[in-house]
Amino acid sequence: MEKDTNNIRIQDDLYNYVNGEWINKAIIPDDLPAVGGFIDLSIDVEKTMLNEFSELSNSSNVDPLMKKAIILYKKIIDEKDRLRGLKPLLDGVSIFDKIHTKEDFLNSIYDLWFSAQPLPFNSFVSEDMMEATKYAFYISAPTLILPDTTVYSSPSAPILLNIYKQMATSILNSLKIENVEKLINDTISFDEKLSKIVKSSEEMADYIKCYNPYETNKVFELMDLNLTDYLTKRFGKVPEKIVIYDVKFLENFKTLLADNYEEYASWAKVKSILGDVQLVSEEYRELSSQYSNALKGTQKIVSLDKYAYRLANSFYDEIIGIYYGKKYFGEEAKNDVISIVKNLVQTYKERLKENNWLSKNTIEKAILKLDTMKIKIGYPDKISELFTKLDFNENDSLYEIVLNLTRIKNQYNSSLLFKPVDKSIWVMSGNTVNACYNPSSNDITFPAAILRKPFYSLSQSVEENYGGIGCVIGHEISHAFDNNGAQMDENGNINNWWTKEDYENFKEKTELMVEEFDGLPLLDSKVNGRLTVSENIADNGGITSSIQSLRRVKENPDFKLFFKNYARIWCAKQRDEYSKLLLTVDVHGPNYYRANMQVRNFKEFYEAFDVKETDKMYLDPSKRVIIW
Ligand SMILES: [Zn+2]
């Protein structure tokens, strides 16, 4: 039934006053979990680039790397050819039939890694959080079948696992795999055991606790696995230390695998087949999407051309992003956005100087962090080394091409271990509708694709731009000072630059933000105030700093425009399944509350719309929270 949006007063419900009518009319396409806001912009970028792909594929004057992306795209579209990948796929997973014991596993581990097959632990090279000019080798727990360990104890667990089992059974049977029942029972059994020893999304949101350096030999001892040969083959030599993401996982790894190498092999074989079979045909792509459809509530798979674009983009995103940025994001807009970022940074500095709950020393260090923060707007000037190495043989099947590209990415990532960190690398491509703060390099990134309406436009009012991108920029900057950022210095190293007292003061304020959001109702579930606290603090800092920055560039700004556009950027209509999934795993709160709860903390909101005690949006001044 449609909600009556005509009689909604802004003082009672800002979000639905601004977005309600649109939400009522919007229809979520069958292949999407949601529409509106960020997702609409993403769809639009995709449409633009699909047109570009079809035009460029007939042109002789195309950048060679972009050409590769287009060839890959066309390869995916050519369905007839894809089936050739089935044999190499099945040959690839036959490696698991030989794994029964620890020795078997140790004999195969390098080949497993080299052919991108699932291992019982994930591993990667990333900036050393203790010394961010260098890289470190990290080991973390593998991802579970259910979206989070907490879902295992929820009523939806048996329903979801059943869908997974049915999907796996029909795919494995149709591929004429032997012992299907045992494979699937082993898979579920191994995953359940795994779920008991891994961190939840809430625990993973604490970055600092994910940094646990160990001497390499100690890790071998705890895992009861000597990985010397494997690491020597992979890196040329064994790294002296390994950083462990999840200590509980490391400590229980030995018991998890003790007599279970066969169970692991089944789990990995099933995961590998279900993950890759989509590459072989549209029929298998459809079959293997049932579980993710159930998780997100989507009714069907995305069209073939979108799938092809997304897969090509998953390897060539930086190249596609640079193309998109150069063509669709102009120099004038870039300079304007840089001036907004500088204005926001200036505001943070001023606010820090006036701060009355941090010590002088801490304030100075915070300002140093702002002074050294690097700004990345639009798209990178140069292509990073990885993309110059990505290559494939056009005559291979799609499965083989994807495997080779994945291998190149994995090998490139490993090759970084003993090299210095290149801080000019972007962690988000220009065609991504998002923004981020990277604590390891103390930089903020705003890709070209988010620098559009309603977030930003040269044709929008200044108030709308500050209510949109201004709040997003302020949000990202505040991550430099949130519960994670407070423990990392201007060079991206873990180095607590706060006094104990400062941190206690901050924690007290943090608790107020947890309280404000914890337990807010959504569907038949609730918001987790702790899982979302960093992002809520960032939203809060974003609005605070954007309001003050707007005042600097415009006399008597119209805050009606500011807050309405702030509510507009969060506009979304989501499927219930998807909303529930996000409540469990997403560190960001639901869009409705990001708009409606957050604005209640600001006196400008009350003044702009004359919000009174009797209005639903009213929050007693004693309960309002402002942190930065
Ligand atoms: Zn954030």
Side-chain angles (χ1 to χ4, degrees):
M1 215 182 77
E2 284 201 357
K3 235 191 281 179
D4 179 12
T5 49
N6 292 325
N7 298 319
I8 292 176
R9 294 171 63 242
I10 209 160
Q11 293 82 356
D12 291 330
D13 184 350
L14 167 73
Y15 180 82
N16 279 309
Y17 177 88
V18 174
N19 303 313
E21 200 184 326
W22 184 90
I23 291 174
N24 262 345
K25 287 191 187 134
I27 292 166
I28 307 173
D30 287 348
D31 63 348
L32 284 177
V35 277
F38 283 73
I39 295 182
D40 284 4
L41 288 186
S42 295
I43 295 170
D44 190 57
V45 174
E46 200 166 76
K47 223 187 243 169
T48 305
M49 288 314 300
L50 278 169
N51 284 333
E52 290 284 348
F53 270 36
S54 82
E55 271 171 39
L56 294 173
S57 58
N58 302 317
S59 159
S60 54
N61 186 21
V62 185
D63 165 84
L65 284 168
M66 189 70 175
K67 186 102 205 162
K68 278 276 170 193
I70 294 167
I71 292 170
L72 178 57
Y73 165 81
K74 282 164 81 177
K75 191 88 196 172
I76 303 160
I77 300 278
D78 182 4
E79 257 200 86
K80 285 193 296 287
D81 189 57
R82 276 164 64 187
L83 213 49
R84 286 198 296 126
L86 187 55
K87 190 178 179 308
L89 185 153
L90 294 175
D91 289 347
V93 293
S94 69
I95 191 169
F96 293 111
D97 301 339
K98 288 181 288 187
I99 297 175
H100 306 282
T101 64
K102 184 167 98 178
E103 279 59 46
D104 298 339
F105 175 68
L106 282 172
N107 288 335
S108 323
I109 181 168
Y110 180 79
D111 294 336
L112 286 166
W113 173 77
F114 186 72
S115 47
Q117 296 290 3
L119 291 176
F121 55 87
N122 285 348
S123 65
F124 53 92
V125 171
S126 183
E127 285 104 328
D128 188 334
M129 288 165 76
M130 212 66 190
E131 206 179 347
T133 52
K134 293 183 178 169
Y135 286 104
F137 177 54
Y138 289 78
I139 284 185
S140 66
T143 50
L144 299 170
I145 293 171
L146 292 180
D148 191 69
T149 169
T150 56
V151 181
Y152 263 98
S153 51
S154 79
S156 55
I159 304 165
L160 288 169
L161 287 173
N162 213 15
I163 295 171
Y164 185 87
K165 279 194 223 169
Q166 280 175 8
M167 173 181 86
T169 308
S170 64
I171 291 172
L172 298 186
N173 278 335
S174 108
L175 292 172
K176 303 203 167 50
I177 305 275
E178 285 171 16
N179 299 324
V180 170
E181 207 181 324
K182 179 184 182 303
L183 278 174
I184 293 172
N185 288 340
D186 278 1
T187 302
I188 302 292
S189 164
F190 188 75
D191 208 71
E192 274 175 353
K193 283 177 194 142
L194 199 54
S195 75
K196 297 198 172 73
I197 59 166
V198 300
K199 284 185 179 183
S200 65
S201 301
E202 183 185 325
E203 289 166 308
M204 288 292 276
D206 188 336
Y207 302 164
I208 313 299
K209 287 198 180 133
C210 295
Y211 187 85
N212 306 286
Y214 281 77
E215 266 180 40
T216 301
N217 284 329
K218 185 75 193 161
V219 174
F220 293 175
E221 187 192 314
L222 285 165
M223 292 176 96
D224 192 27
L225 275 182
N226 189 330
L227 302 175
T228 304
D229 280 355
Y230 160 56
L231 296 180
T232 310
K233 275 191 196 160
R234 181 166 165 187
F235 297 116
K237 62 178 176 185
V238 178
E240 280 170 21
K241 71 171 180 190
I242 299 178
V243 182
I244 302 296
Y245 246 57
D246 195 331
V247 174
K248 194 162 81 173
F249 170 71
L250 176 71
E251 285 171 347
N252 289 282
F253 183 85
K254 195 168 147 181
T255 337
L256 171 75
L257 266 296
D259 302 310
N260 285 337
Y261 276 93
E262 250 178 49
E263 222 176 66
Y264 149 70
S266 302
W267 169 88
K269 183 172 177 174
V270 171
K271 269 195 140 181
S272 177
I273 294 173
L274 298 189
D276 288 340
V277 77
Q278 50 166 317
L279 301 170
V280 167
S281 75
E282 283 300 279
E283 198 186 322
Y284 280 120
R285 184 161 75 89
E286 175 109 45
L287 273 175
S288 64
S289 71
Q290 290 168 14
Y291 179 64
S292 73
N293 279 346
L295 280 179
K296 294 181 199 156
T298 41
Q299 311 292 315
K300 66 174 195 192
I301 50 174
V302 297
S303 63
L304 181 57
D305 61 339
K306 281 189 197 163
Y307 170 69
Y309 169 77
R310 287 179 200 178
L311 189 56
N313 187 60
S314 71
F315 292 103
Y316 288 94
D317 58 345
E318 185 165 292
I319 307 301
I320 299 171
I322 289 175
Y323 180 93
Y324 174 83
K326 278 190 178 160
K327 185 151 178 185
Y328 297 96
F329 182 63
E331 210 50 32
E332 192 188 354
K334 182 169 180 168
N335 291 331
D336 189 39
V337 176
I338 290 175
S339 76
I340 299 177
V341 176
K342 288 190 172 155
N343 192 12
L344 262 297
V345 170
Q346 185 56 31
T347 297
Y348 267 96
K349 278 195 207 172
E350 283 174 16
R351 293 188 64 83
L352 279 163
K353 280 180 194 153
E354 289 161 12
N355 181 298
N356 58 11
W357 53 271
L358 286 173
S359 63
K360 200 169 154 270
N361 216 357
T362 304
I363 291 173
E364 274 169 19
K365 293 229 175 82
I367 290 175
L368 178 65
K369 221 174 159 179
L370 283 168
D371 280 335
T372 50
M373 189 179 284
K374 287 163 290 295
I375 304 166
K376 293 172 174 170
I377 305 278
Y379 53 93
D381 298 327
K382 68 170 178 75
I383 293 166
S384 37
E385 198 188 12
L386 164 67
F387 295 90
T388 61
K389 293 184 185 294
L390 283 183
D391 201 4
F392 56 85
N393 181 347
E394 278 179 51
N395 299 319
D396 281 350
S397 68
L398 177 62
Y399 170 79
E400 290 162 298
I401 291 174
V402 166
L403 175 60
N404 278 322
L405 289 172
T406 309
R407 197 174 273 167
I408 294 170
K409 273 175 100 169
N410 290 347
Q411 284 179 320
Y412 179 74
N413 176 261
S414 294
S415 76
L416 297 173
L417 184 56
F418 302 108
K419 292 183 185 159
V421 173
D422 178 359
K423 304 249 182 195
S424 70
I425 289 175
W426 284 46
V427 290
M428 260 179 195
S429 63
N431 58 338
T432 311
V433 182
N434 209 336
C436 67
Y437 171 75
N438 181 358
S440 288
S441 45
N442 189 29
D443 67 18
I444 43 175
T445 306
F446 301 95
I450 198 176
L451 299 170
R452 288 180 303 145
K453 268 185 189 176
F455 292 93
Y456 170 79
S457 166
L458 281 165
S459 67
Q460 257 178 197
S461 67
V462 180
E463 286 92 336
E464 285 168 312
N465 282 340
Y466 275 83
I469 203 69
C471 290
V472 178
I473 295 166
H475 170 116
E476 298 307 339
I477 296 174
S478 97
H479 279 314
F481 314 114
D482 70 11
N483 45 337
N484 288 311
Q487 301 182 63
M488 296 180 80
D489 67 18
E490 76 279 8
N491 298 314
N493 300 330
I494 293 180
N495 180 5
N496 199 338
W497 42 281
W498 297 46
T499 63
K500 211 171 157 232
E501 210 177 28
D502 292 332
Y503 202 64
E504 287 305 315
N505 286 339
F506 177 63
K507 260 179 39 198
E508 232 173 74
K509 290 179 178 291
T510 304
E511 282 307 307
L512 297 176
M513 191 60 81
V514 173
E515 267 169 42
E516 190 168 271
F517 281 82
D518 199 45
L520 289 171
L522 194 81
L523 301 166
D524 55 3
S525 203
K526 284 183 180 118
V527 175
N528 177 342
R530 284 194 195 279
L531 172 67
T532 56
V533 64
S534 293
E535 295 303 327
N536 290 331
I537 292 175
D539 282 344
N540 188 269
I543 302 174
T544 312
S545 56
S546 197
I547 286 176
Q548 191 164 327
S549 303
L550 170 59
R551 285 215 158 97
R552 193 177 303 117
V553 291
K554 177 124 192 213
E555 227 176 290
N556 295 322
D558 182 350
F559 280 107
K560 287 193 177 87
L561 294 173
F562 177 96
F563 284 108
K564 280 187 195 168
N565 202 41
Y566 180 72
R568 198 169 289 127
I569 64 173
W570 300 118
C571 177
K573 182 169 187 167
Q574 290 175 341
R575 296 183 188 281
D576 290 356
E577 294 87 342
Y578 188 58
S579 297
K580 282 186 209 164
L581 173 68
L582 293 184
L583 276 179
T584 325
V585 297
D586 193 357
V587 290
H588 305 91
N591 288 18
Y592 171 80
Y593 290 119
R594 290 185 82 171
N596 266 11
M597 195 67 223
Q598 204 59 261
V599 298
R600 298 181 204 197
N601 295 312
F602 297 90
K603 72 173 191 338
E604 287 79 1
F605 173 72
Y606 295 85
E607 288 163 8
F609 301 109
D610 193 22
V611 179
K612 299 214 161 52
E613 264 185 85
T614 46
D615 298 323
K616 290 200 181 108
M617 291 288 288
Y618 185 85
L619 187 67
D620 191 81
S622 66
K623 290 195 174 139
R624 296 178 198 167
V625 185
I626 286 184
I627 297 187
W628 290 114

